[in-house]
Amino acid sequence: MMDPSLLAWLRSQLGTATGEQELAGRYARLGRARAVAAEVLAERRAKLLAEPLRMTVDGVVTIDQSNNLAGLERQIAGLAGLVAPDDSAAGEAGADLVTAPLLPARRAR
């Protein structure tokens, strides 16, 4: 479940364009706030790339989205350096998976 501190962190990273219910659904599916932020930012990046980045109507208007794309790419790269509220604290033990092979017991003769 997403608590208010997670929602506030996501809002600080993503703004208010993405609804609370959508963020909660993504968090339930992905399980980490950083993963939610990365997914939303990647979708925004993909949307920008699907359209022409620059359009010019001679003498009338020029629209250039290349700075927006660069900003999104910087924001995506910067997620790795941020601490999300649901990240484990430094030095805190994480859930590590340890495997060991099962060997047959030796039978005494």
Side-chain angles (χ1 to χ4, degrees):
M1 178 161 183
M2 193 165 60
D3 64 28
S5 66
L6 286 171
L7 181 60
W9 187 84
L10 285 169
R11 290 272 185 238
S12 73
Q13 300 307 310
L14 304 172
T16 58
T18 306
E20 184 177 340
Q21 294 298 327
E22 183 179 348
L23 291 175
R26 289 176 190 254
Y27 186 76
R29 181 173 47 86
L30 297 170
R32 306 299 283 170
R34 185 186 317 274
V36 171
E39 184 176 77
V40 171
L41 291 173
E43 286 176 2
R44 290 178 184 174
R45 181 181 178 274
K47 185 177 178 183
L48 272 177
L49 289 173
E51 301 293 327
L53 288 178
R54 184 178 170 93
M55 183 176 74
T56 302
V57 176
D58 288 333
V60 179
V61 69
T62 298
I63 299 172
D64 189 355
Q65 297 288 341
S66 57
N67 286 335
N68 292 348
L69 178 62
L72 272 173
E73 289 173 341
R74 279 192 308 272
Q75 192 174 7
I76 291 168
L79 276 178
L82 297 175
V83 177
D86 60 349
D87 286 343
S88 56
E92 182 179 313
D96 293 332
L97 177 64
V98 178
T99 60
L102 296 177
L103 301 175
R106 291 189 181 181
R107 297 184 181 187
R109 294 184 188 213

